[in-house]
Amino acid sequence: MDFHFNEEQLMFRDSVRALLERDCTAAVLRELWAGESGRSDGLWRGLAELGLTGLLLAEEHGGLGMAEVDLVLALEESGRACLPEPLVETVLAAAPLLETLAAGGGSAASVAGKWLPRVAAGEARLALEHPANPCVADAHVAELLLLLAGDGSLHAVERAHVELTRQPCNDAARRLFTVDWKPGDDSLLANAAGAMRLLDAAFDRAAFGCAAQQLGIGQKLIDLAVDYAGQREQFGRAIGSFQAVKHHLATAQVAVEFARPVVYRAACSLATGHADAGLHVSQAKAMADEAALLAARTSLQVHGGIGYTWEVDLHAWMKRAWALEMTWGGSAWHRGRLADAVLADVDNNPREGQLQLQGVN
């Protein structure tokens, strides 16, 4: 079995990297933070022109009909660039959910037929309310919101018909909102039972997306620290020449490298519908979160107190790592999900379960 990325996937990654290095620099990020929406329609359209916004959608909806394994490297690049656009919420969470609903026909097919081609073309963003997250991310720029009613049913509501209240976030680029709205028969997409099944699948896709972005964030944090360690001098030498600094940076790099194949496996599992895809996603999210947080701590230690200041770019990536760790399930939740699966195997098959527990220990 070949686990390497093919030439087309690597070329797609390079194209996304080139776009983000040109249009999503640290200076651009700072300009966006100061703006009212914090988002760039031009940047979103640029991603759409590469096919990123419609990569998972079927061709009938204007997409490319590809899979998560084709997307994972681009997601990693979006983390490396600290991209503020709602890539995970729109491309991985909401749009595939709406497309799945549309396959059943009815009102969902009509909603999907209207909105998914616009998502693929970069003309619309989507937002999704999920019980795992206390607030709806990027509801202020989402033309269509998929919202949960009190009875658990799922509804599609245009932004003009909701009232948003912004909530605080330590990441200056994130925009989080509570949403006030009224459900109606004309907005209903799925009842509670059907909605929960779809929300579970959306949760796994979104958690995988955050894990892939954390890889890029962790690598960027290490790169920033290495660059600073090569410039900052103490006792007449660059601090990067000291063994203690090298060891800390190497430990962080190892954590990122160990998380990378786990995230790639989660992409394969989602793309192929593997029976344990959810568990693979949880392992990827937990490892990528912890790798990014370790890279953040290490990079901050290397920078010292200056790393907290507004003038240093480090804090943008550091705070993004903190924010992503807490969305779509934190590391503790995902580790708990893995533990529950292992203990369930112990109950069902004591010998095999004990072997797995030994492997965990």
Side-chain angles (χ1 to χ4, degrees), residues 61-77:
H61 292 127
L64 300 177
M66 302 177 80
E68 287 82 355
V69 72
D70 302 302
L71 183 61
V72 63
L73 293 178
L75 290 167
E76 196 173 338
E77 290 301 320

Side-chain angles (χ1 to χ4, degrees), residues 7-83:
E7 185 176 354
E8 288 77 13
Q9 290 164 337
L10 295 174
M11 288 176 62
F12 183 60
R13 176 202 61 187
D14 293 343
S15 298
V16 173
R17 176 179 293 185
L19 172 73
L20 294 177
E21 287 182 344
R22 187 191 66 203
D23 294 344
C24 190
T25 63
V28 170
L29 290 176
R30 292 175 184 278
E31 290 179 9
L32 291 175
W33 294 344
E36 184 175 351
S37 74
R39 300 294 176 264
S40 166
D41 291 340
L43 182 54
W44 187 252
R45 283 194 299 272
L47 297 172
E49 289 171 0
L50 291 178
L52 196 55
T53 58
L55 191 140
L56 296 183
L57 296 175
E59 293 182 7
E60 66 178 286
H61 292 127
L64 300 177
M66 302 177 80
E68 287 82 355
V69 72
D70 302 302
L71 183 61
V72 63
L73 293 178
L75 290 167
E76 196 173 338
E77 290 301 320
S78 71
R80 182 172 175 269
C82 211
L83 178 73

Side-chain angles (χ1 to χ4, degrees), residues 140-162:
H140 66 311
V141 292
E143 283 76 9
L144 183 71
L145 293 84
L146 306 184
L147 301 171
L148 288 171
D151 62 357
S153 59
L154 185 66
H155 295 253
V157 186
E158 296 187 20
R159 190 175 68 236
H161 300 148
V162 303

